[in-house]
Amino acid sequence: MTVKKKILVVLLGAALLGAAFVPSAQAQTSAPKSVRSGIGRMEFPAAMPGKVNKKLIRGVHFRLGAPLQSPLVDAPDPDTVTIFGPAEATEEQMTAYILRRNPKPKLNGTVEEIVRAYYVEAGREGIRPDVALCQALKETGFFGYGGDVSPKQNNFCGLGATGNHEPGARFATIELGVRAHIQHLLAYASAHRPQEAVVDPRYELVVQNHPEIHGKIQRWTGLNGVWAVPGTRYGQDILQIWQQAKAPDGSDLSLAVAEQKVRQSPDDAGAYLNRGAVYYYRGAYAQAAADFTRASKLDASQKESRYDLALTQERQGDARAAKKTYDALLALAPDFGQAYYNRGLLALRAKKTAAAVADFEKVLALNPQFAPAANAIGVAKIAQGRYEEAWTSFHRAAEINDANMDVLGNQFIFTACLDPKK
């Protein structure tokens, strides 16, 4: 087969793959480390199984996850957010947010039903329902799954899924699965037993065998290294999802509320940050940039305003200004993973592959479960002509989340660009 015909085969295969698997939240989020997802995924060896056809590989396009594009509003210190408390995001906000991140969630019911279940079950026990739901979003990859746990199990927090192909507990209904999640949280956060009969199969294990934990964890960041191991930023990741979920949208009502906040508190950085987010979602980027700039001047330590300004500058098509803003933000907050990821994508588009790889490696150091960063390293390594390293990076990304369709697409395309070993 000629190189031209092989290119056509690769492009056709990639197009069919894109038609069969539509990237959703999996391009921007991570799921628990997986072995095989049960979707009939093609197997790819850990070592590159052939020699790269350089003419062929230069004629194809490899897939990248989209930049993270949701602005952040004023966030409290993560260490101050308690497990117990009222919801701050409405059920409607949570439903809309989930569907934005994953239009086709794998659920045994509707998004509205699972959101309602969290507000009922968590509300009954006094646990913040919106944050508990965000924990489920982190654990399931926005209900995309891809690891040992199957959507059929109604297991939304990985109960009993301890790795090595162990799928964990299963529950007959969404409501029971949510109740088990809330009860497990309660085992960590309270010495009082649940109000409903215990359905969490691991509740008594915590109560009887872990007195150092039972009833002692009062804040979400207290789950770090306890619920998830090593999980050094587990609670912070949950709260980051929560911040995104309760961010304002671009509706007229959100704008009216935001403008009222600015009038009432003209020197409050958070008020401008909130209104800037509304303008951002309305596509009014000049007004958004003005508000984010004003917020950063009122509070020079505020990280969110700089991040949101960089997002806005990207939407305005000013990559140079966005990169400069990300640089300033990362000097202020060197553990801001989203900024490294977005700056890495900017560097990759500018063909600064070494800088891009450095940023993506920093993302993985902060969050080893973020598959899009490992995938992006693979794309950068291909641009550098370091093909074996690229293959390894794609394999690494698939180990993190084998349901990520950008990763699967790149492995498929890459394989088609190889001349088999003789």
Side-chain angles (χ1 to χ4, degrees), residues 71 248-251 254-256 258-259 262 271-292 312 315:
D249 58 20
S251 67
S254 286
L255 181 59
E259 288 181 334
V262 170
Y272 289 95
L273 190 67
N274 187 74
R275 190 176 69 176
V278 177
Y279 281 135
Y280 177 92
Y281 284 121
R282 293 171 74 90
Y285 299 125
Q287 293 96 319
D291 272 353
F292 295 143
T312 305
R315 287 295 184 98

Side-chain angles (χ1 to χ4, degrees), residues 132-374:
L133 178 53
C134 288
Q135 184 183 22
L137 297 179
K138 175 176 173 58
E139 289 281 348
T140 64
F142 286 79
F143 303 124
Y145 293 90
D148 294 331
V149 180
S150 163
K152 296 179 181 179
Q153 294 173 234
N154 292 317
N155 184 345
F156 307 116
C157 64
L159 280 172
T162 55
N164 297 319
H165 303 272
E166 173 54 57
R170 62 179 60 242
F171 305 94
T173 65
I174 283 176
E175 290 76 15
L176 287 175
V178 172
R179 185 174 301 169
H181 178 187
I182 299 306
Q183 289 177 346
H184 202 65
L185 273 171
L186 203 64
Y188 285 72
S190 175
H192 297 291
R193 293 186 68 82
Q195 295 191 36
E196 295 288 333
V198 172
V199 296
D200 168 22
R202 299 177 70 82
Y203 178 86
E204 301 297 346
L205 176 67
V206 176
V207 172
Q208 297 172 12
N209 297 353
H210 294 283
E212 79 284 3
I213 295 173
H214 175 48
K216 303 292 197 304
I217 310 297
Q218 300 300 308
R219 292 173 174 78
W220 292 95
T221 52
L223 298 176
N224 293 0
V226 178
W227 190 294
V229 179
T232 53
R233 290 187 53 82
Y234 183 75
Q236 287 89 335
D237 289 346
I238 292 168
L239 294 174
Q240 195 169 86
I241 295 171
W242 180 52
Q243 287 299 123
Q244 294 174 355
K246 64 179 183 170
D249 58 20
S251 67
D252 291 343
L253 176 60
S254 286
L255 181 59
V257 172
E259 288 181 334
Q260 182 179 13
K261 288 182 179 179
V262 170
R263 288 193 298 269
Q264 291 174 340
S265 306
D267 295 323
D268 178 16
Y272 289 95
L273 190 67
N274 187 74
R275 190 176 69 176
V278 177
Y279 281 135
Y280 177 92
Y281 284 121
R282 293 171 74 90
Y285 299 125
Q287 293 96 319
D291 272 353
F292 295 143
T293 300
R294 176 66 174 159
S296 64
K297 288 181 178 178
L298 287 169
D299 184 355
S301 66
Q302 190 183 69
K303 299 176 289 187
E304 294 81 8
S305 57
R306 295 172 188 267
Y307 178 74
D308 294 351
L309 177 59
L311 296 186
T312 305
Q313 290 165 333
E314 285 198 67
R315 287 295 184 98
Q316 291 175 308
D318 195 342
R320 181 177 295 182
K323 196 265 185 187
K324 184 177 179 181
T325 303
Y326 283 130
D327 290 346
L329 168 60
L330 290 169
L332 176 69
D335 62 347
F336 209 110
Q338 303 110 302
Y340 283 111
Y341 180 68
N342 284 355
R343 190 177 72 173
L345 291 177
L346 287 176
L348 199 52
R349 288 197 290 271
K351 302 186 185 307
K352 297 179 179 179
T353 53
V357 169
D359 275 350
F360 297 138
E361 288 287 8
K362 186 68 175 178
V363 175
L364 289 170
L366 292 166
N367 183 0
Q369 293 298 101
F370 193 66

Side-chain angles (χ1 to χ4, degrees), residues 7-32:
I7 290 176
L8 289 174
V9 170
V10 174
L11 293 177
L12 178 59
L16 290 173
L17 182 71
F21 301 104
V22 179
S24 58
Q26 295 302 320
Q28 297 189 28
T29 191
S30 61

